[in-house]
Each structure stands twice: as C-alpha cells, then as structure tokens.
C-alpha cells in the first residue's frame, strides 16, 4: 500500500526548534522545516499515524540519537494520545545516550540502553523503528540490525529504505561515487513488499528515502 505524497512541498528554511507540549488541536506532524533534505513534519506524522492505526503500545527507536531533533516532540504526542505508551531509546554507545538523556529529560518513562549493531540485543516491543542510520550503514551493519530485530521477536518493523539503490556496489566492495543507503527489497535482503510504503519524505528524487512498514507476525 503506497501512501501518497502531499501535493505541495515545504520550502527549505532554517530549522526551528519544535515544541514538546501536546496541543488540543489535531496533530499533523512535528512543526519543523526540511532538515537534511527530509520533510520532518510528514515523517513524524506518518510514524504517529501508523502507531495509532496499528494500536502500537510500545516501541524502540534505534539508534535514537539520530532523531533527537523531533522524536521527543512526537513522543509527547504519543504519551498524550496513548496512555501508558512505552518508549525505548537505544543506541550504540553511552556517549550517544548522554545526548539522548538530555533530550528526554522531561519524560519519566523513557528506557535507555546500549546495543551495538554488530552484537547487541533489542527488547521485545510492538514496534522497532529505525530512521537515519541505514542510509549510512554498510550492508553488513544493516544485515546485523535486521537480525537484531528478528531476534527481538517484536511485532512490527518501521524502517527507512532507498528503493533506487541496487546494493551491488556494496556487495562487490567497489569504491567510487555510488548512491548511499540500502535497499531491503534487493539482494542480499530480498524483503517482501511492505504492508505499507510511505513516500514523499525526502527531497532527493534521484535517491529517495521511504518508510517501509512490516508486520513481522
């Protein structure tokens, strides 16, 4: 199922700090401008919408330090709309978690933990969310993350994907100017079509980034 992209694009402006206080008006995404070519408002709204529609009560954000500009504001909304929502902020080092602890200082229920992508473990939750890392990880690290998710026996996976990347340059170990990212639908991953695909998130038309939502059950 492909989520249509919005007809109008946001103008690229200087980023502004979002507010963490939930408002009584309907939530349409964290109000941030385009950040590193990513439409944060649409990204955060679609994560919120998927969590609500799938009745998700717990999630892991891994690695969480990459989403500190907007995830605390989204979590404030989730806490407001879903009483008892459980959130795990997990990253590869305590140094990165130090920044995360500061960003989530106003939340009492956030769980923090260290898990290295090569040999770490994730808790069993409803949803494992990964955005901003696989765009930079190697094929090996991405494969390790997928194994971590599978071992956690979590029900859902919501992960970034680069649909125009073939993965072949990385598999062959070739150097040079190649598009970054990983395509989970190509070898060696060969993921089946996602339950939901969300586009319209990134500005890069030559190497777009999308969200893939999978029911692991």
């Amino acid at each position: 199922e492909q989520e249509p992209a919005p007809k109008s694009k946001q103008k690229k402006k200087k980023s502004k700090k979002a507010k963490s206080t939930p408002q009584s008006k309907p939530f349409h995404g964290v109000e941030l401008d385009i950040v590193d070519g990513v439409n944060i408002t649409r990204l955060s709204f679609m994560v919120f919408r998927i969590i609500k529609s799938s009745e998700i009560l717990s999630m892991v954000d891994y690695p969480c330090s990459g989403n500190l500009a907007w995830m605390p504001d989204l979590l404030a909304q989730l806490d407001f709309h879903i009483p008892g929502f459980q959130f795990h902020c997990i990253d590869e080092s305590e140094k990165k978690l130090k920044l995360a602890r500061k960003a989530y200082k106003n939340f009492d229920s956030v769980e923090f933990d260290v898990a290295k992508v090569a040999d770490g473990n994730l808790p069993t939750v409803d949803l494992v969310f990964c955005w901003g890392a696989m765009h930079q990880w190697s094929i090996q690290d991405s494969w390790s993350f997928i194994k971590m998710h599978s071992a956690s026996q979590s029900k859902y996976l919501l992960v970034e994907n680069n649909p125009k990347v073939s993965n072949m340059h990385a598999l062959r170990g070739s150097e040079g100017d190649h598009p970054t990212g990983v395509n989970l639908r190509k070898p060696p991953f060969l993921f089946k079509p996602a339950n939901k695909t969300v586009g319209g998130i990134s500005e890069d038309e030559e190497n777009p980034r999308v969200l893939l939502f999978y029911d692991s059950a």
Side-chain angles (χ1 to χ4, degrees), residues 43 47 59-64 67 70-71 117 122 127-135 137 141-142 145-146 149 156-161 184 209-212:
L43 171 61
V47 174
M59 72 177 284
V60 162
D61 182 10
Y62 183 85
C64 60
N67 300 318
W70 58 275
M71 185 60 78
V117 70
L122 299 178
L127 173 71
V128 172
F129 174 71
C130 182
W131 176 269
M134 294 185 73
H135 188 65
W137 280 344
D141 284 344
S142 298
F145 166 73
I146 297 303
H149 166 260
Y156 298 109
L157 173 65
L158 184 58
V159 62
E160 70 177 301
N161 195 57
L184 295 176
R209 299 161 69 184
V210 302
L211 272 177
L212 301 182

Side-chain angles (χ1 to χ4, degrees), residues 134-137 139 142 162 165 167 169-170 179-183 207:
M134 294 185 73
H135 188 65
Q136 305 174 43
W137 280 344
I139 293 289
S142 298
N162 294 79
V165 170
N167 300 333
H169 70 280
T180 58
V182 167
N183 189 349
N207 186 22

Side-chain angles (χ1 to χ4, degrees), residues 9-190:
K9 290 186 176 181
Q10 288 184 332
K11 295 181 179 179
K12 189 182 294 184
K13 300 177 181 178
K14 185 178 180 180
S15 298
K16 295 180 292 186
K17 187 177 181 180
K19 297 179 180 179
S20 299
T21 304
Q23 300 180 10
S24 57
K25 65 180 182 180
F27 178 66
H28 297 295
V30 176
E31 296 180 357
L32 280 178
D33 298 318
I34 302 295
V35 177
D36 295 330
V38 175
N39 186 331
I40 296 298
T41 300
R42 176 165 171 78
L43 171 61
S44 58
F45 173 67
M46 293 311 303
V47 174
F48 176 82
R49 181 174 173 179
I50 287 171
I51 288 174
K52 285 278 290 178
S53 63
S54 301
E55 299 182 345
I56 289 168
L57 301 178
S58 59
M59 72 177 284
V60 162
D61 182 10
Y62 183 85
C64 60
S65 62
N67 300 318
L68 298 181
W70 58 275
M71 185 60 78
D73 302 278
L74 174 57
L75 180 58
Q77 293 290 338
L78 292 170
D79 279 349
F80 181 77
H81 291 277
I82 308 174
F85 188 81
Q86 299 176 17
F87 183 81
H88 299 259
C89 176
I90 303 180
D91 217 305
E92 295 190 84
S93 70
E94 189 60 46
K95 182 178 180 180
K96 293 181 178 179
L97 282 183
K98 184 177 180 180
L99 298 173
R101 293 178 195 277
K102 183 177 181 180
Y104 289 106
K105 64 181 180 180
N106 294 326
F107 296 89
D108 297 327
S109 59
V110 176
E111 297 287 338
F112 299 93
D113 202 358
V114 173
K116 294 186 179 298
V117 70
D119 55 6
N121 296 298
L122 299 178
T124 301
V125 292
D126 290 339
L127 173 71
V128 172
F129 174 71
C130 182
W131 176 269
M134 294 185 73
H135 188 65
Q136 305 174 43
W137 280 344
S138 65
I139 293 289
Q140 182 177 357
D141 284 344
S142 298
W143 187 261
S144 296
F145 166 73
I146 297 303
K147 290 174 63 178
M148 284 173 62
H149 166 260
S150 179
S152 76
Q153 298 185 333
S154 297
K155 185 174 183 181
Y156 298 109
L157 173 65
L158 184 58
V159 62
E160 70 177 301
N161 195 57
N162 294 79
K164 291 190 177 182
V165 170
S166 70
N167 300 333
M168 293 309 298
H169 70 280
L171 290 171
R172 293 170 179 166
S174 59
E175 302 292 336
D177 186 18
H178 296 285
T180 58
V182 167
N183 189 349
L184 295 176
R185 301 274 285 115
K186 298 291 185 180
F189 306 100
L190 295 176

